[in-house]
Amino acid sequence: MLRATVDDLELAYLDRGSGPVVLLVHGFPLDHSMWKRQIEALSVRHRVIAPDLRGFGQSQGGDETTTMQRFADDLAGLLDSLGVTEPIDLCALSMGGYVAWQFWQHHWDRLGRLILCDTRAASDTPEGAQGRLDLAASVVESGSLPVAESMLPKLFAPQNLSSGADYIEATRQVMASTRPTTIAAALRGMASRPDMTSELGNIGVPSLLVCGEHDAISPPEEMREVAAAMPDAMFHVIYGAGHMSPLERPERVNHLILEFLQ
Ligand code: MLT
């Protein structure tokens, strides 16, 4: 992993290949390693930059609350420190998608195209937000392992979860080793994220949206509506996948991404 100083913090990132830049933004509570198969496939034709968001993976930081805009500003700061000034293609999953909306809103001049995997435009319901705040309060006491154990079954399609695939254990380990303070800060940030539904008609950048058939966190029906509300978006269901479609069906997701980027 490489390191760049952004806003007085060291952010870790991976930088592979050459060509037009694709920035990969991971979900919660994960790190850049969830994109392993995309990094391999995309770096043949693109410069792939895959950071660990502040506090996650090997990056420093973790405030009381990390807003989605804060993460988006960090990404812009990382691009600055790498001297990337041309518009980039941003590919993001779930919480990464919440960050991508903020990147569009606050750094629109740096955004070429959007690839959104298994994410939502709506904010949390009041009950959903309260659940996150309660979990944020308890995770610092209980540690990350219970969060990892409770999230794991929600991330994957049932048949993939029971398959014993290597990525299941790898995901469990990444979640369990994420610092509780980072988890709490991101939970508070997600709970307070803005609702983007009314903005979708203004997000005119060419966009590819994909969602796992069995995604229980950001269901495909909801994501289809998000794509339909955007002026230039296409949508694909990833059959046989849950919430982690790039990990569960990498060949299909990579094919769609490469075709879209061509
Ligand atoms: C994620 O995968 O990033 C999270 O599940 C998003 C969320 O909790 O809303």
Side-chain angles (χ1 to χ4, degrees):
M1 290 294 273
L2 301 166
R3 280 163 219 280
T5 302
V6 175
D7 193 34
D8 291 335
L9 293 178
E10 258 191 18
L11 295 187
Y13 65 99
L14 199 138
D15 193 344
R16 286 276 160 78
S18 59
V21 172
V22 181
L23 182 64
L24 300 177
V25 187
H26 63 78
F28 166 90
L30 303 168
D31 68 12
H32 76 283
S33 63
M34 62 150 285
W35 297 112
K36 180 171 181 281
R37 298 290 300 277
Q38 284 67 43
I39 293 164
E40 286 164 7
L42 301 183
S43 62
V44 175
R45 285 192 225 149
H46 298 266
R47 178 178 180 189
V48 179
I49 301 172
D52 288 341
L53 293 171
R54 100 171 21 214
F56 291 89
Q58 295 177 40
S59 287
Q60 294 179 332
D63 310 315
E64 182 63 15
T65 300
T66 312
T67 63
M68 301 302 107
Q69 185 184 340
R70 176 71 265 166
F71 286 131
D73 292 346
D74 286 347
L75 295 177
L78 176 62
L79 294 173
D80 282 341
S81 82
L82 298 181
V84 175
T85 51
E86 71 277 16
I88 54 104
D89 295 322
L90 198 162
C91 172
L93 178 129
S94 200
M95 184 184 80
Y98 311 156
V99 175
W101 301 130
Q102 295 305 305
F103 194 87
W104 167 79
Q105 195 142 49
H106 299 280
H107 304 284
W108 55 270
D109 53 334
R110 312 190 76 141
L111 183 62
R113 292 170 290 189
L114 267 177
I115 300 160
L116 297 171
C117 309
D118 303 272
T119 192
R120 309 184 63 209
S123 54
D124 288 345
T125 59
E127 301 74 36
Q130 190 55 51
R132 291 202 204 262
L133 298 179
D134 294 345
L135 187 56
S138 69
V139 68
V140 180
E141 298 267 302
S142 64
S144 305
L145 193 60
V147 176
E149 295 298 344
S150 71
M151 274 200 78
L152 204 68
K154 297 185 203 145
L155 294 183
F156 300 102
Q159 71 268 29
N160 298 335
L161 191 64
S162 56
S163 70
D166 290 351
Y167 61 74
I168 306 281
E169 187 48 34
T171 303
R172 184 204 307 272
Q173 281 180 19
V174 169
M175 294 197 292
S177 56
T178 302
R179 285 190 292 281
T181 46
T182 294
I183 292 181
L187 282 166
R188 293 193 188 98
M190 285 193 282
S192 66
R193 76 188 189 278
D195 193 302
M196 293 299 290
T197 317
S198 62
E199 291 286 354
L200 293 173
N202 300 322
I203 305 180
V205 292
S207 302
L208 168 69
L209 277 71
V210 302
C211 186
E213 175 188 14
H214 303 291
D215 188 334
I217 297 175
S218 44
E221 305 74 44
E222 185 178 320
M223 238 188 135
R224 186 187 298 279
E225 285 175 20
V226 170
M230 296 170 73
D232 188 7
M234 60 180 118
F235 173 71
H236 291 272
V237 173
I238 308 298
Y239 292 99
H243 185 60
M244 299 297 299
S245 61
L247 261 181
E248 293 172 272
R249 288 291 177 269
E251 288 86 5
R252 177 72 183 138
V253 172
N254 291 349
H255 174 78
L256 288 168
I257 294 176
L258 283 167
E259 201 174 55
F260 173 73
L261 291 178
Q262 232 174 33

